Amino acid sequence: MMIRAIIEWDEECQAYSATCPELNFVSSFGETKDEAIANLKDAINLMLEPIPDEFL
């Protein structure tokens, strides 16, 4: 699956933000582009993970 990520430098926070518009704007950040992308991948995986039955 291909998912678009938007990576931007935030001057105020001095960090990169990574956002995925196709997945309800899931986002993350990191001190480097690679870290922001890795954190975004983790956030996407958590969002797509099934909800355990005990929480339903």
Side-chain angles (χ1 to χ4, degrees):
M1 173 172 25
M2 296 280 294
I3 298 173
R4 178 175 52 143
I6 299 171
I7 313 298
E8 297 178 305
W9 173 252
D10 186 325
E11 191 64 40
E12 184 176 333
C13 295
Q14 295 291 299
Y16 287 93
S17 67
T19 305
C20 181
E22 286 83 9
L23 294 176
N24 204 22
F25 290 93
V26 172
S27 62
S28 191
F29 71 97
E31 292 182 9
T32 66
K33 286 181 185 180
D34 290 337
E35 184 180 0
I37 292 168
N39 290 340
L40 180 63
K41 287 179 182 179
D42 288 343
I44 290 169
N45 285 329
L46 287 170
M47 190 196 98
L48 296 177
E49 190 174 278
I51 299 172
D53 289 337
E54 66 261 18
F55 295 119
L56 295 177

